[in-house]
């Protein structure tokens, strides 16, 4: 009898031990899986870090190359302009020099966008006149004009804002080039500066074209870097517009209708004390 009871106790103890050990085994397997997951996550994070390191290095390299290309490009622009003047009596030959100027300007714009994109510099906000940024940008569209396209500008109220002139010039150049690209002959580009009706202390710049417009499915992506619907577009133009506007603590509104045109409104804080945003 006593032997029987001892046997039962032993059996119970054995069962308890077996259950506990199977639970331990399950927990061990669970822990093993978790460790595997964590190891995978760590490997992915290391890969992402390595990718970011390479991207940063590439950005630096791109910025350095862009600087190097800039100087000879500047000389080419001057020589091409001189050549244009020399050939003013020979329109056919002059046309070739105009092509060189246009190509150089396109390259220069690409380099400026690349430099802004790769180095993402801070801005030194100073009181500047938006009219200067707009007029400079318009003068840089030479070579991209289209026959019959009218450009209307109107400036209402104070045009002074807190801004970085070089960056704002590049912002407007990208908007104007896009608008000119989208316009057909006889189209119109309207550029207006006016105080915001809704928000005191904000100046708005409206850039409106009656060109081909943006399809609604593309509208969400136009500010993404490298998004372009053009054969030879880099897709950096509007990404730069967005970066520069954020750096100025401003905002952008865009509306577009296919076949009817596109309207960008850039809102910027009016002139105040000078400050640096890095
Ligand atoms: N005013 C506009 N009218 C019609 N489409 C536009 C207009 N502005 C931008 N887009 C669309 O948004 C896309 C992105 O513009 P973005 O300026 O970033 O690049 P891109 O003009 O294609 O190339 P890049 O400016 O680098 O030469 C354009 O390819 C075009 O499809
Ligand atoms: Mg563009």
């Amino acid at each position: 009898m006593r032997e029987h009871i001892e046997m039962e106790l032993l059996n119970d103890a054995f069962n308890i031990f077996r259950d506990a050990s199977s639970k331990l085994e399950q927990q061990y397997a669970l822990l093993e899986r978790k460790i595997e997951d964590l190891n995978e996550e760590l490997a992915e994070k290391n890969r992402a870090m390595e990718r970011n390191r390479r991207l940063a290095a590439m950005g630096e390299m791109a910025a350095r190359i862009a600087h190097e290309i800039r100087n000879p490009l500047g000389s080419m622009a001057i020589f091409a302009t001189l050549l244009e003047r020399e050939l003013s009596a020979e329109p056919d030959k002059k046309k070739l020099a105009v092509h060189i100027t246009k190509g150089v300007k396109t390259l220069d714009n690409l380099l400026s966008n690349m430099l802004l994109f790769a180095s993402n510099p801070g801005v030194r906000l100073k009181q500047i006149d938006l009219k200067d940024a707009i007029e400079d940008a318009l003068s840089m569209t030479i070579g991209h004009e289209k026959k019959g396209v009218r450009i209307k500008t109107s400036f209402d109220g104070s045009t002074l804002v807190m801004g970085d002139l070089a960056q704002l010039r590049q912002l407007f150049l990208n908007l104007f080039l896009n608008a000119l690209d989208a316009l057909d002959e006889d189209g119109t580009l309207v550029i207006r500066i006016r105080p915001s009706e809704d928000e005191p202390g904000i100046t708005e710049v409206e850039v409106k074209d009656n060109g081909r417009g943006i399809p609604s499915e593309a509208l969400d992506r136009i500010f993404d870097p490298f998004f372009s619907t053009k054969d030879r577009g880099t897709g950096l133009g509007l990404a730069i517009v967005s970066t520069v506007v954020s750096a100025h603590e401003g905002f952008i509104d865009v509306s577009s209708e296919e076949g009817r045109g596109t309207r960008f409104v850039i809102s910027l804080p009016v002139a105040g004390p000078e400050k640096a945003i890095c």
Side-chain angles (χ1 to χ4, degrees), residues 59 62-63 66 70 105-121 140 166-175 177-178 225-226 230 232-244:
R70 265 257 157 101
K105 288 225 163 87
T106 306
L107 273 178
D108 193 58
N109 182 36
L110 178 82
L111 289 177
S112 302
N113 280 346
M114 255 177 63
L115 276 171
L116 269 173
F117 187 73
S119 56
N120 199 6
M140 288 156 86
Q167 291 192 18
L168 289 173
R169 192 187 287 144
Q170 192 60 25
L171 177 162
F172 292 121
L173 177 61
N174 280 308
L175 288 182
L177 288 178
N178 281 346
F226 311 116
K230 301 174 192 172
R232 299 174 73 182
T234 63
L236 280 182
L238 288 181
I240 296 299
V241 168
S242 160
T243 308
V244 172

CSV table of all heavy atoms in Angstrom, one decimal, residues 59 62-63 66 70 105-121 140 166-175 177-178 225-226 230 232-244:
chain,number,residue,atom,x,y,z
A,59,GLY,N,26.3,62.7,-51.2
A,59,GLY,CA,25.8,64.1,-51.2
A,59,GLY,C,26.9,65.1,-51.1
A,59,GLY,O,27.0,66.1,-51.9
A,62,ALA,N,28.7,65.0,-54.4
A,62,ALA,CA,27.9,65.7,-55.4
A,62,ALA,C,28.1,67.2,-55.3
A,62,ALA,O,28.3,68.0,-56.2
A,62,ALA,CB,26.5,65.3,-55.3
A,63,ALA,N,28.0,67.7,-54.0
A,63,ALA,CA,28.2,69.1,-53.7
A,63,ALA,C,29.5,69.6,-54.2
A,63,ALA,O,29.7,70.7,-54.8
A,63,ALA,CB,28.0,69.4,-52.2
A,66,ALA,N,29.7,69.7,-57.9
A,66,ALA,CA,28.9,70.8,-58.4
A,66,ALA,C,29.6,72.1,-58.3
A,66,ALA,O,29.6,72.9,-59.3
A,66,ALA,CB,27.6,70.9,-57.7
A,70,ARG,N,30.8,74.5,-61.5
A,70,ARG,CA,30.3,75.9,-61.5
A,70,ARG,C,31.2,76.9,-62.2
A,70,ARG,O,30.8,77.7,-63.0
A,70,ARG,CB,30.0,76.3,-60.1
A,70,ARG,CG,28.6,76.1,-59.7
A,70,ARG,CD,27.9,77.4,-59.7
A,70,ARG,NE,26.5,77.3,-59.9
A,70,ARG,CZ,25.6,77.5,-58.9
A,70,ARG,NH1,26.1,77.6,-57.6
A,70,ARG,NH2,24.4,77.5,-59.1
A,105,LYS,N,22.6,77.6,-68.9
A,105,LYS,CA,21.7,78.1,-67.9
A,105,LYS,C,21.0,76.8,-67.3
A,105,LYS,O,20.8,76.8,-66.1
A,105,LYS,CB,20.7,79.0,-68.5
A,105,LYS,CG,21.3,80.3,-68.8
A,105,LYS,CD,20.3,81.5,-68.4
A,105,LYS,CE,21.1,82.8,-68.3
A,105,LYS,NZ,21.1,83.5,-69.6
A,106,THR,N,20.6,75.9,-68.2
A,106,THR,CA,19.9,74.7,-67.7
A,106,THR,C,20.8,73.9,-66.7
A,106,THR,O,20.4,73.5,-65.6
A,106,THR,CB,19.5,73.8,-68.8
A,106,THR,OG1,18.8,74.5,-69.7
A,106,THR,CG2,18.7,72.6,-68.4
A,107,LEU,N,22.1,73.8,-67.1
A,107,LEU,CA,23.1,73.1,-66.2
A,107,LEU,C,23.3,73.8,-64.9
A,107,LEU,O,23.4,73.2,-63.9
A,107,LEU,CB,24.4,73.0,-67.0
A,107,LEU,CG,24.7,71.8,-67.9
A,107,LEU,CD1,26.0,71.9,-68.5
A,107,LEU,CD2,24.6,70.5,-67.1
A,108,ASP,N,23.3,75.2,-65.0
A,108,ASP,CA,23.5,76.0,-63.8
A,108,ASP,C,22.4,75.8,-62.8
A,108,ASP,O,22.6,75.7,-61.6
A,108,ASP,CB,23.7,77.4,-64.2
A,108,ASP,CG,24.2,78.2,-63.0
A,108,ASP,OD1,25.3,77.9,-62.5
A,108,ASP,OD2,23.5,79.2,-62.6
A,109,ASN,N,21.1,75.7,-63.4
A,109,ASN,CA,20.0,75.5,-62.6
A,109,ASN,C,20.0,74.1,-61.9
A,109,ASN,O,19.7,74.0,-60.7
A,109,ASN,CB,18.7,75.7,-63.4
A,109,ASN,CG,17.4,75.5,-62.6
A,109,ASN,OD1,17.4,76.0,-61.4
A,109,ASN,ND2,16.4,74.9,-63.1
A,110,LEU,N,20.4,73.2,-62.7
A,110,LEU,CA,20.5,71.8,-62.2
A,110,LEU,C,21.5,71.7,-61.0
A,110,LEU,O,21.3,71.1,-60.0
A,110,LEU,CB,20.9,70.9,-63.3
A,110,LEU,CG,21.1,69.4,-62.9
A,110,LEU,CD1,19.8,68.7,-62.9
A,110,LEU,CD2,22.1,68.7,-63.9
A,111,LEU,N,22.7,72.4,-61.2
A,111,LEU,CA,23.7,72.4,-60.2
A,111,LEU,C,23.2,73.1,-58.9
A,111,LEU,O,23.4,72.6,-57.8
A,111,LEU,CB,25.0,73.1,-60.7
A,111,LEU,CG,25.8,72.4,-61.7
A,111,LEU,CD1,27.0,73.2,-62.2
A,111,LEU,CD2,26.2,71.0,-61.2
A,112,SER,N,22.5,74.3,-59.1
A,112,SER,CA,22.0,75.0,-57.9
A,112,SER,C,21.0,74.1,-57.2
A,112,SER,O,21.0,74.0,-55.9
A,112,SER,CB,21.2,76.2,-58.4
A,112,SER,OG,22.1,77.1,-59.1
A,113,ASN,N,20.1,73.4,-57.9
A,113,ASN,CA,19.1,72.5,-57.2
A,113,ASN,C,19.9,71.4,-56.5
A,113,ASN,O,19.5,71.0,-55.4
A,113,ASN,CB,18.2,71.9,-58.2
A,113,ASN,CG,17.1,72.8,-58.6
A,113,ASN,OD1,16.8,73.8,-57.9
A,113,ASN,ND2,16.3,72.6,-59.7
A,114,MET,N,20.9,70.8,-57.2
A,114,MET,CA,21.6,69.7,-56.6
A,114,MET,C,22.3,70.2,-55.3
A,114,MET,O,22.3,69.5,-54.3
A,114,MET,CB,22.7,69.2,-57.5
A,114,MET,CG,22.3,67.9,-58.2
A,114,MET,SD,23.6,67.4,-59.3
A,114,MET,CE,25.0,67.2,-58.3
A,115,LEU,N,23.0,71.4,-55.4
A,115,LEU,CA,23.7,71.9,-54.2
A,115,LEU,C,22.7,72.1,-53.0
A,115,LEU,O,23.0,71.7,-51.9
A,115,LEU,CB,24.4,73.2,-54.5
A,115,LEU,CG,25.7,73.0,-55.2
A,115,LEU,CD1,26.2,74.4,-55.7
A,115,LEU,CD2,26.7,72.4,-54.2
A,116,LEU,N,21.6,72.7,-53.3
A,116,LEU,CA,20.6,72.9,-52.3
A,116,LEU,C,20.1,71.6,-51.7
A,116,LEU,O,19.9,71.5,-50.5
A,116,LEU,CB,19.4,73.7,-52.8
A,116,LEU,CG,19.5,75.2,-52.7
A,116,LEU,CD1,18.3,75.9,-53.5
A,116,LEU,CD2,19.5,75.7,-51.3
A,117,PHE,N,19.8,70.6,-52.6
A,117,PHE,CA,19.3,69.4,-52.2
A,117,PHE,C,20.3,68.5,-51.3
A,117,PHE,O,20.0,68.0,-50.3
A,117,PHE,CB,18.8,68.6,-53.4
A,117,PHE,CG,18.1,67.3,-53.0
A,117,PHE,CD1,16.8,67.4,-52.5
A,117,PHE,CD2,18.7,66.1,-53.2
A,117,PHE,CE1,16.1,66.2,-52.2
A,117,PHE,CE2,18.0,64.9,-52.8
A,117,PHE,CZ,16.7,65.0,-52.3
A,118,ALA,N,21.6,68.5,-51.8
A,118,ALA,CA,22.6,67.7,-51.2
A,118,ALA,C,23.1,68.3,-49.9
A,118,ALA,O,23.3,67.5,-48.9
A,118,ALA,CB,23.7,67.5,-52.2
A,119,SER,N,23.2,69.6,-49.8
A,119,SER,CA,23.8,70.1,-48.6
A,119,SER,C,22.8,70.7,-47.6
A,119,SER,O,23.1,70.9,-46.5
A,119,SER,CB,24.8,71.2,-49.0
A,119,SER,OG,24.2,72.2,-49.8
A,120,ASN,N,21.6,70.9,-48.1
A,120,ASN,CA,20.5,71.4,-47.2
A,120,ASN,C,21.0,72.5,-46.3
A,120,ASN,O,21.0,72.3,-45.0
A,120,ASN,CB,19.9,70.2,-46.4
A,120,ASN,CG,18.5,70.6,-45.9
A,120,ASN,OD1,18.0,71.7,-46.2
A,120,ASN,ND2,17.9,69.8,-45.1
A,121,PRO,N,21.5,73.6,-46.8
A,121,PRO,CA,22.1,74.6,-46.0
A,121,PRO,C,21.1,75.4,-45.1
A,121,PRO,O,19.9,75.4,-45.5
A,121,PRO,CB,22.8,75.6,-47.0
A,121,PRO,CG,22.0,75.4,-48.2
A,121,PRO,CD,21.4,74.0,-48.2
A,140,MET,N,16.6,84.9,-65.3
A,140,MET,CA,17.3,83.7,-65.5
A,140,MET,C,16.5,82.7,-66.3
A,140,MET,O,17.0,81.6,-66.6
A,140,MET,CB,17.6,83.0,-64.1
A,140,MET,CG,18.7,83.7,-63.3
A,140,MET,SD,18.6,83.5,-61.6
A,140,MET,CE,19.5,82.0,-61.4
A,166,ALA,N,19.2,84.3,-52.3
A,166,ALA,CA,19.7,83.3,-53.3
A,166,ALA,C,18.7,82.1,-53.3
A,166,ALA,O,18.4,81.6,-54.4
A,166,ALA,CB,21.1,82.9,-52.9
A,167,GLN,N,18.3,81.7,-52.1
A,167,GLN,CA,17.4,80.5,-52.1
A,167,GLN,C,16.0,80.9,-52.7
A,167,GLN,O,15.4,80.1,-53.4
A,167,GLN,CB,17.2,80.0,-50.7
A,167,GLN,CG,18.5,79.4,-50.2
A,167,GLN,CD,18.4,78.6,-48.9
A,167,GLN,OE1,17.2,78.2,-48.5
A,167,GLN,NE2,19.4,78.3,-48.3
A,168,LEU,N,15.5,82.1,-52.4
A,168,LEU,CA,14.2,82.5,-52.9
A,168,LEU,C,14.2,82.6,-54.4
A,168,LEU,O,13.3,82.3,-55.1
A,168,LEU,CB,13.7,83.7,-52.2
A,168,LEU,CG,13.3,83.5,-50.8
A,168,LEU,CD1,12.9,84.9,-50.1
A,168,LEU,CD2,12.0,82.6,-50.7
A,169,ARG,N,15.3,83.1,-54.9
A,169,ARG,CA,15.5,83.3,-56.4
A,169,ARG,C,15.4,81.9,-57.0
A,169,ARG,O,14.7,81.7,-58.0
A,169,ARG,CB,16.9,83.9,-56.6
A,169,ARG,CG,17.2,84.3,-57.9
A,169,ARG,CD,18.7,84.7,-58.0
A,169,ARG,NE,19.1,85.9,-57.3
A,169,ARG,CZ,20.2,86.1,-56.7
A,169,ARG,NH1,21.1,85.2,-56.6
A,169,ARG,NH2,20.4,87.3,-56.1
A,170,GLN,N,16.1,80.9,-56.4
A,170,GLN,CA,16.1,79.5,-56.9
A,170,GLN,C,14.7,78.9,-56.9
A,170,GLN,O,14.2,78.3,-57.8
A,170,GLN,CB,17.1,78.7,-56.1
A,170,GLN,CG,17.4,77.3,-56.7
A,170,GLN,CD,18.0,77.4,-58.1
A,170,GLN,OE1,18.6,78.4,-58.5
A,170,GLN,NE2,17.8,76.4,-58.9
A,171,LEU,N,14.0,79.2,-55.8
A,171,LEU,CA,12.6,78.8,-55.6
A,171,LEU,C,11.7,79.3,-56.8
A,171,LEU,O,11.0,78.5,-57.4
A,171,LEU,CB,12.1,79.3,-54.2
A,171,LEU,CG,10.6,79.0,-53.8
A,171,LEU,CD1,10.5,79.2,-52.3
A,171,LEU,CD2,9.6,79.9,-54.5
A,172,PHE,N,11.8,80.6,-57.0
A,172,PHE,CA,10.9,81.2,-58.0
A,172,PHE,C,11.3,80.7,-59.4
A,172,PHE,O,10.5,80.5,-60.3
A,172,PHE,CB,10.9,82.7,-57.9
A,172,PHE,CG,10.2,83.2,-56.7
A,172,PHE,CD1,10.8,84.0,-55.8
A,172,PHE,CD2,8.9,82.8,-56.5
A,172,PHE,CE1,10.2,84.4,-54.6
A,172,PHE,CE2,8.2,83.2,-55.3
A,172,PHE,CZ,8.9,84.0,-54.4
A,173,LEU,N,12.6,80.6,-59.6
A,173,LEU,CA,13.1,80.1,-60.9
A,173,LEU,C,12.5,78.7,-61.2
A,173,LEU,O,12.0,78.5,-62.3
A,173,LEU,CB,14.6,80.0,-60.9
A,173,LEU,CG,15.3,79.5,-62.2
A,173,LEU,CD1,14.9,80.4,-63.4
A,173,LEU,CD2,16.8,79.3,-62.1
A,174,ASN,N,12.5,77.8,-60.2
A,174,ASN,CA,11.9,76.5,-60.4
A,174,ASN,C,10.4,76.6,-60.8
A,174,ASN,O,9.9,75.9,-61.6
A,174,ASN,CB,12.1,75.6,-59.2
A,174,ASN,CG,13.5,75.0,-59.2
A,174,ASN,OD1,13.9,74.4,-60.2
A,174,ASN,ND2,14.2,75.2,-58.1
A,175,LEU,N,9.7,77.5,-60.1
A,175,LEU,CA,8.2,77.6,-60.3
A,175,LEU,C,8.0,78.2,-61.7
A,175,LEU,O,7.1,77.7,-62.5
A,175,LEU,CB,7.6,78.6,-59.3
A,175,LEU,CG,7.4,78.0,-57.9
A,175,LEU,CD1,6.7,79.0,-57.0
A,175,LEU,CD2,6.6,76.7,-57.9
A,177,LEU,N,10.1,78.1,-64.4
A,177,LEU,CA,10.4,77.2,-65.4
A,177,LEU,C,9.4,76.1,-65.6
A,177,LEU,O,9.0,75.7,-66.8
A,177,LEU,CB,11.8,76.5,-65.1
A,177,LEU,CG,13.0,77.4,-65.2
A,177,LEU,CD1,14.3,76.6,-64.8
A,177,LEU,CD2,13.2,78.0,-66.6
A,178,ASN,N,8.8,75.6,-64.5
A,178,ASN,CA,7.7,74.6,-64.6
A,178,ASN,C,6.5,75.2,-65.4
A,178,ASN,O,5.9,74.6,-66.2
A,178,ASN,CB,7.3,74.2,-63.2
A,178,ASN,CG,8.2,73.2,-62.6
A,178,ASN,OD1,9.0,72.6,-63.3
A,178,ASN,ND2,8.1,72.9,-61.3
A,225,PRO,N,11.1,64.3,-54.0
A,225,PRO,CA,12.3,64.4,-54.8
A,225,PRO,C,12.3,63.3,-55.8
A,225,PRO,O,11.9,62.2,-55.6
A,225,PRO,CB,13.4,64.1,-53.7
A,225,PRO,CG,12.8,64.3,-52.4
A,225,PRO,CD,11.3,64.1,-52.6
A,226,PHE,N,12.8,63.7,-57.0
A,226,PHE,CA,12.9,62.8,-58.2
A,226,PHE,C,11.6,62.5,-58.9
A,226,PHE,O,11.6,61.6,-59.8
A,226,PHE,CB,13.8,61.6,-57.9
A,226,PHE,CG,15.0,61.9,-57.1
A,226,PHE,CD1,15.3,61.4,-55.9
A,226,PHE,CD2,16.0,62.7,-57.8
A,226,PHE,CE1,16.5,61.8,-55.2
A,226,PHE,CE2,17.2,63.0,-57.1
A,226,PHE,CZ,17.4,62.5,-55.8
A,230,LYS,N,8.6,64.6,-66.9
A,230,LYS,CA,9.3,65.1,-68.1
A,230,LYS,C,10.4,64.1,-68.5
A,230,LYS,O,11.1,63.5,-67.6
A,230,LYS,CB,9.9,66.4,-67.8
A,230,LYS,CG,8.8,67.4,-67.4
A,230,LYS,CD,9.4,68.8,-67.0
A,230,LYS,CE,8.3,69.6,-66.4
A,230,LYS,NZ,8.8,70.8,-65.8
A,232,ARG,N,13.3,64.8,-69.6
A,232,ARG,CA,14.6,65.2,-69.1
A,232,ARG,C,14.6,65.9,-67.8
A,232,ARG,O,15.5,66.7,-67.4
A,232,ARG,CB,15.3,66.0,-70.2
A,232,ARG,CG,15.5,65.2,-71.5
A,232,ARG,CD,16.1,66.0,-72.6
A,232,ARG,NE,17.5,66.3,-72.4
A,232,ARG,CZ,18.2,67.0,-73.2
A,232,ARG,NH1,17.6,67.6,-74.3
A,232,ARG,NH2,19.4,67.3,-73.0
A,233,GLY,N,13.5,65.7,-67.0
A,233,GLY,CA,13.4,66.4,-65.7
A,233,GLY,C,14.1,65.6,-64.6
A,233,GLY,O,14.2,64.4,-64.7
A,234,THR,N,14.7,66.3,-63.7
A,234,THR,CA,15.3,65.6,-62.6
A,234,THR,C,14.3,65.4,-61.4
A,234,THR,O,14.6,64.6,-60.5
A,234,THR,CB,16.5,66.4,-62.0
A,234,THR,OG1,16.0,67.6,-61.4
A,234,THR,CG2,17.6,66.7,-63.0
A,235,GLY,N,13.3,66.2,-61.4
A,235,GLY,CA,12.3,66.0,-60.3
A,235,GLY,C,12.8,66.7,-59.0
A,235,GLY,O,12.3,66.4,-58.0
A,236,LEU,N,13.8,67.6,-59.2
A,236,LEU,CA,14.3,68.2,-57.9
A,236,LEU,C,13.7,69.6,-57.7
A,236,LEU,O,13.7,70.2,-56.6
A,236,LEU,CB,15.8,68.4,-58.0
A,236,LEU,CG,16.6,67.2,-57.7
A,236,LEU,CD1,18.1,67.5,-57.8
A,236,LEU,CD2,16.3,66.6,-56.3
A,237,GLY,N,13.1,70.2,-58.8
A,237,GLY,CA,12.6,71.6,-58.8
A,237,GLY,C,11.6,71.9,-57.6
A,237,GLY,O,11.9,72.7,-56.8
A,238,LEU,N,10.6,71.1,-57.5
A,238,LEU,CA,9.6,71.4,-56.5
A,238,LEU,C,10.0,70.9,-55.1
A,238,LEU,O,9.6,71.4,-54.1
A,238,LEU,CB,8.2,70.8,-56.9
A,238,LEU,CG,7.5,71.5,-58.0
A,238,LEU,CD1,6.1,70.9,-58.3
A,238,LEU,CD2,7.3,73.0,-57.7
A,239,ALA,N,10.9,69.9,-55.1
A,239,ALA,CA,11.5,69.4,-53.8
A,239,ALA,C,12.2,70.6,-53.2
A,239,ALA,O,12.2,70.8,-52.0
A,239,ALA,CB,12.4,68.2,-54.0
A,240,ILE,N,13.0,71.3,-54.1
A,240,ILE,CA,13.7,72.5,-53.6
A,240,ILE,C,12.8,73.6,-53.1
A,240,ILE,O,13.0,74.2,-52.1
A,240,ILE,CB,14.6,73.0,-54.7
A,240,ILE,CG1,15.7,72.0,-55.1
A,240,ILE,CG2,15.3,74.4,-54.3
A,240,ILE,CD1,16.6,71.6,-54.0
A,241,VAL,N,11.7,73.8,-53.9
A,241,VAL,CA,10.7,74.8,-53.5
A,241,VAL,C,10.2,74.5,-52.1
A,241,VAL,O,10.2,75.3,-51.2
A,241,VAL,CB,9.5,74.8,-54.5
A,241,VAL,CG1,8.3,75.6,-54.0
A,241,VAL,CG2,10.0,75.3,-55.9
A,242,SER,N,9.9,73.2,-51.9
A,242,SER,CA,9.3,72.8,-50.6
A,242,SER,C,10.4,73.0,-49.5
A,242,SER,O,10.1,73.5,-48.4
A,242,SER,CB,8.9,71.4,-50.7
A,242,SER,OG,8.8,70.8,-49.5
A,243,THR,N,11.6,72.6,-49.7
A,243,THR,CA,12.7,72.8,-48.7
A,243,THR,C,12.9,74.3,-48.4
A,243,THR,O,13.0,74.6,-47.2
A,243,THR,CB,14.0,72.2,-49.3
A,243,THR,OG1,13.8,70.9,-49.7
A,243,THR,CG2,15.1,72.2,-48.2
A,244,VAL,N,12.9,75.1,-49.4
A,244,VAL,CA,13.2,76.5,-49.2
A,244,VAL,C,12.0,77.2,-48.4
A,244,VAL,O,12.3,77.9,-47.5
A,244,VAL,CB,13.5,77.3,-50.5
A,244,VAL,CG1,13.6,78.8,-50.3
A,244,VAL,CG2,14.8,76.7,-51.2
